[in-house]
Amino acid sequence: MAGSVSALLASLLALGGASELKGDALKNLMCESCHVVMNSFAKDVKYLTETGKMWKQKDLEQRLSISCSDPGLPQGAFAQACAALLEDYGKAIMRDVSARWDEDSEYFEEDIAPKEYCRSIGVCKEGHVSINQMIANSDRKEKDLKEEREAKEREKAKKEKET
């Protein structure tokens, strides 16, 4: 497993460009990547548990190794972050996914909640704001500022008419 994830990491870093992510940018994109990867795993695990099936270890390893190829995950910096996610948390993800098929596990046949899971393993921090949320907040602020400017302009025009 570690070899396949390391090879994946190297190839994804090459795809992502020469600059490597660091610090908060890497952590935020790893969190976003975790949500995408675990959302996909959640669907697969739900189907497998409902049908009484499970992956063999090699199938789980293969499934994890292609997680960063998910079409819901942008390439470039996201690919770098996803590769770092798998490098740092791949074993934990495999262990926790496998627990859904272990009758002795407290997680037996339990669904995966991606946001909660990513927070529980430490990839995401409490209060993490997703990129989509940031964009929505920015759009809302921009709209509010535009409305405020237009209201001021209307008020100014009204005052000018009165004088």
Side-chain angles (χ1 to χ4, degrees):
M1 167 62 199
S4 63
V5 171
S6 295
L8 177 66
L9 174 62
S11 65
L12 288 173
L13 287 174
L15 283 175
S19 65
E20 290 197 34
L21 292 169
K22 294 181 180 152
D24 289 341
L26 177 61
K27 290 176 186 173
N28 284 329
L29 291 180
M30 282 177 67
C31 178
E32 296 288 324
S33 297
C34 185
H35 290 164
V36 172
V37 167
M38 294 313 296
N39 190 46
S40 182
F41 265 110
K43 292 174 188 172
D44 291 346
V45 167
K46 181 175 178 73
Y47 169 78
L48 291 169
T49 55
E50 285 176 355
T51 59
K53 298 178 183 177
M54 60 184 259
W55 284 317
K56 295 177 184 165
Q57 185 64 26
K58 68 180 177 85
D59 297 328
L60 178 56
E61 289 174 8
Q62 181 181 16
R63 174 61 180 76
L64 183 65
S65 73
I66 63 169
S67 293
C68 293
S69 301
D70 188 299
L73 189 68
Q75 292 303 303
F78 270 98
Q80 290 179 15
C82 187
L85 169 75
L86 297 186
E87 186 71 21
D88 294 350
Y89 297 94
K91 288 181 181 175
I93 291 170
M94 288 195 331
R95 177 195 65 231
D96 295 340
V97 168
S98 295
R100 271 47 185 192
W101 299 299
D102 180 358
E103 292 181 13
D104 295 330
S105 169
E106 66 181 284
Y107 300 110
F108 178 62
E109 294 186 340
E110 186 175 303
D111 288 341
I112 297 172
K115 287 182 181 182
E116 290 79 14
Y117 177 78
C118 295
R119 204 173 313 120
S120 76
I121 63 170
V123 178
C124 300
K125 304 299 177 211
E126 189 69 38
H128 171 77
V129 179
S130 74
I131 290 175
N132 288 337
Q133 289 171 316
M134 287 180 201
I135 291 170
N137 291 344
S138 176
D139 289 348
R140 189 171 31 258
K141 283 180 184 178
E142 191 175 310
K143 181 183 173 191
D144 291 346
L145 287 172
K146 182 181 177 186
E147 288 174 0
E148 186 178 320
R149 277 192 304 271
E150 289 172 351
K152 285 180 181 180
E153 288 173 8
R154 284 191 303 273
E155 188 65 32
K156 182 180 176 183
K158 183 178 176 183
K159 285 182 180 182
E160 287 176 0
K161 275 187 175 181
E162 291 174 355
T163 57

